[in-house]
């Protein structure tokens, strides 16, 4: 737990300041390209961070959280089910998905950003309890063409979207990408624009597609200019992660 080294109050105020800082960055990025600040949602990536850190973020008004690891994420969802603001808290699964781990994701999360194969979509659809709202799905796209990275290719999107459209317990909401690190604004923008163009194509056939999860701390400006509607920010809110 972080609170061994810092008094709780100072962590809380730094999370508050960090969130305010990120929100003001989002606001200035949206102003630069003529968008409204509320057209971009801040997803606070809380992976590896303790319950107390999420509590502090909730206390200052943050409601959307992203988790990468199934067991850890499920524990947090269950913990916060008893919270006074539980109804407003929205949980996004953003990590790689092993096909034998789909059930807890389907049973606990509101959004999944990292669907990149039909098998995963089928399992999530079968395992999503019909008593819950349909699971919001983003398809993870590999825009940089590297063989090693997860994500489907743009050319395979339409077929996967058509299959998901037949699944009653899923609703396809858009696309997500984690582009290769690029230092220049222009190359960041080019990768994000590719995703935005692919989303616009899909939107013609599937009007409920309205979400683009793209942009992190280092490339938020370019992502927002290209049309991002969700930016995923971890370290700039909660500090560096400790994986030891
Ligand atoms: C961890 C993670 C983030 C947040 O990264 P930071 O560098 O901590 O802001 C965003 N998106 C995905 C998919 C991640 O796994």
């Amino acid at each position: 737990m972080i609170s061994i080294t810092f008094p709780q109050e100072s962590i809380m105020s730094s999370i508050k300041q960090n969130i305010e800082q990120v929100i003001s960055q989002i606001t200035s990025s949206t102003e630069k390209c003529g968008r409204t600040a509320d057209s971009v949602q801040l997803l606070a990536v809380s992976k590896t961070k303790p319950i107390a850190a999420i509590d502090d973020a909730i206390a200052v008004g943050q409601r959307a959280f992203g988790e990468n690891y199934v067991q850890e994420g499920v524990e947090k969802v269950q913990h916060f089910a008893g919270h006074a603001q539980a109804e407003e808290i929205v949980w996004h699964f953003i990590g790689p998905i092993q096909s034998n781990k789909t059930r807890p994701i389907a049973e606990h999360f509101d959004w999944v950003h990292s669907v990149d194969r039909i098998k995963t979509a089928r399992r999530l659809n079968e395992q999503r309890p019909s008593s819950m709202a349909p699971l919001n799905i983003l398809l993870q796209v590999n825009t940089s063409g590297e063989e090693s990275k997860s994500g489907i290719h743009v050319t395979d999107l339409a077929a996967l979207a058509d299959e998901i459209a037949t699944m009653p317990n899923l609703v396809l909401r858009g696309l997500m990408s984690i582009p290769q690190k690029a230092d220049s604004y222009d190359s960041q923008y080019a990768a994000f624009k590719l995703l935005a163009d692919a989303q616009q194509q899909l939107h013609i056939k599937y009007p409920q597609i309205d979400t683009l999860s793209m942009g992190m701390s280092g490339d938020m400006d370019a992502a927002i200019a290209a049309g991002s509607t969700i930016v995923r920010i971890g370290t700039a809110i909660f500090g560096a992660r400790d994986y030891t």
Side-chain angles (χ1 to χ4, degrees), residues 45 47 68 94 176 178 216-217 232-236 241:
V45 178
K47 63 183 180 209
N68 282 56
I94 64 174
M176 176 271 222
I178 312 173
M216 295 164 64
S217 305
R232 307 180 308 265
I233 310 290
T235 309
R241 286 177 291 273

Side-chain angles (χ1 to χ4, degrees), residues 74 77 89-93 102-112 120-137 167-171:
V74 166
V77 174
I89 302 172
V90 181
W91 293 98
H92 298 242
F93 189 81
T102 49
R103 184 177 295 279
I105 297 173
E107 291 177 348
H108 293 89
F109 283 83
D110 303 296
W111 288 75
V112 182
T120 306
R122 281 199 192 113
R123 293 179 65 98
L124 290 171
N125 179 56
E126 280 161 18
Q127 294 165 344
R128 178 68 164 179
S130 50
S131 59
M132 294 175 81
L135 186 57
N136 295 290
I137 299 293
M167 300 179 179
N169 299 319
L170 304 186
V171 55

